[in-house]
Amino acid sequence: MSDDRIIDFNELKNKVKDSDVDKFEQYIYNLYFSVMDGSMTMAEFSRKILDYMKENNISQEKFMNIQKRFMERYGMDNEEVEKQLKNFGIDPSTVGFGNMDLNNITNENIENIQKTAGFYEKYGSKIQPKSCISTYVKNDTNDIDIIVDQEKVMLYSNKKINLMDAELNELLLAYKNMFNKKIRVVLCESSNEYDY
C-alpha cells in the first residue's frame, strides 16, 4: 500500500478555507469596534478570542493559519508583525497562547492572558517602542554595559565608572563622530540589581 493514499486528518482539520478567514475577519472587526467604543476591555477581548476558538473547535495551529491568511489578505507580513510586537516588548510566544491546549483551558491560562492584556491596557499609552543597540566595555579598568539610544548613551555598571578608560573613550568618540554633534552620556554607576 502506498503512503500517498493515507489521509492525514490533522492536516485536513487544520486546513484554512476562505470562509474561515471571512468569519474570523467579521468577528475581529466586531470585537475591535467594541474595544474602540469602550464597551469592552482588552482583557475581555482576549477572552472572546479564546471563546471563539473553543466554540468553533479551532485548534491553535488552525488559528495561527487563519491569522496568517487574514494578515496576508491585507498585505501584512507575519514576521514583520511579530518583529513589531517584540519591539513593543510583547513576545507572541509568551503572551498566553504559547502551548495552550484550547480543549483544556485552565483558569491560570485565562488569568495570564488577562494580566498581559491588563498591563498593556493600563500602560499602553505610555509605552514607546525603542530601537536601541547595546554593547559593553569589559577590561581591567571597567565592566560596563552600554545602551545606545540615538544621541543618548547610557553606561551601566555595578562599580564606579572610570571615565579615563581609553577603550570607553574610543567607543564614545567613534559614536559621537557619527552625529557630528554632542551626544548625551548618562552614568548609572554603582547600580544595584535585584529580582522582583
Side-chain angles (χ1 to χ4, degrees):
M1 188 175 210
S2 171
D3 284 347
D4 59 348
R5 293 178 18 175
I6 297 173
I7 298 172
D8 183 353
F9 288 104
N10 279 332
E11 187 177 320
L12 285 175
K13 182 178 143 190
N14 292 324
K15 188 173 181 177
V16 176
K17 298 177 281 192
D18 283 338
S19 61
D20 294 327
V21 180
D22 293 339
K23 186 176 177 182
F24 176 71
E25 179 180 27
Q26 187 59 48
Y27 188 77
I28 285 294
Y29 280 134
N30 289 338
L31 291 182
Y32 174 75
F33 288 119
S34 295
V35 170
M36 295 309 292
D37 71 13
S39 62
M40 181 185 296
T41 67
M42 284 303 292
E44 291 169 326
F45 178 90
S46 298
R47 174 73 177 147
K48 292 281 188 185
I49 295 292
L50 288 174
D51 290 344
Y52 178 83
M53 292 170 68
K54 200 169 189 178
E55 289 167 10
N56 292 285
N57 197 24
I58 297 174
S59 69
Q60 183 177 355
E61 184 178 341
K62 183 171 184 175
F63 185 70
M64 296 305 285
N65 291 337
I66 290 171
Q67 285 181 310
K68 285 179 188 174
R69 290 268 304 272
F70 175 70
M71 290 190 303
E72 287 169 3
R73 185 178 276 187
Y74 290 94
M76 291 185 252
D77 179 14
N78 190 40
E79 290 178 14
E80 182 61 28
V81 170
E82 196 167 304
K83 181 180 167 189
Q84 291 296 324
L85 286 171
K86 286 182 179 180
N87 283 343
F88 279 109
I90 304 169
D91 185 353
S93 65
T94 62
V95 169
F97 289 110
N99 294 319
M100 187 186 309
D101 177 7
L102 293 170
N103 296 317
N104 188 22
I105 296 174
T106 65
N107 285 337
E108 183 181 353
N109 295 136
I110 293 169
E111 286 175 23
N112 287 340
I113 292 169
Q114 288 173 334
K115 285 177 192 174
T116 302
F119 175 82
Y120 286 101
E121 185 176 3
K122 185 172 183 177
Y123 299 106
S125 63
K126 296 180 182 179
I127 296 172
Q128 295 179 355
K130 291 271 186 180
S131 199
C132 301
I133 59 172
S134 65
T135 186
Y136 61 91
V137 169
K138 188 170 188 163
N139 56 30
D140 294 337
T141 309
N142 280 313
D143 185 358
I144 306 170
D145 289 319
I146 302 168
I147 297 176
V148 180
D149 179 9
Q150 297 177 14
E151 296 172 13
K152 185 177 182 181
V153 179
M154 293 161 278
L155 309 176
Y156 293 93
S157 178
N158 58 2
K159 300 175 184 172
K160 183 93 171 130
I161 297 173
N162 184 343
L163 296 174
M164 301 307 287
D165 182 346
E167 184 179 352
L168 174 61
N169 278 298
E170 184 181 326
L171 183 143
L172 291 173
L173 182 60
Y175 190 71
K176 177 185 174 190
N177 287 339
M178 288 174 39
F179 290 101
N180 257 353
K181 59 182 178 180
K182 290 183 180 180
I183 58 173
R184 168 75 58 186
V185 179
V186 178
L187 299 177
C188 300
E189 55 188 6
S190 302
S191 64
N192 293 318
E193 293 182 18
Y194 64 96
D195 295 328
Y196 186 72

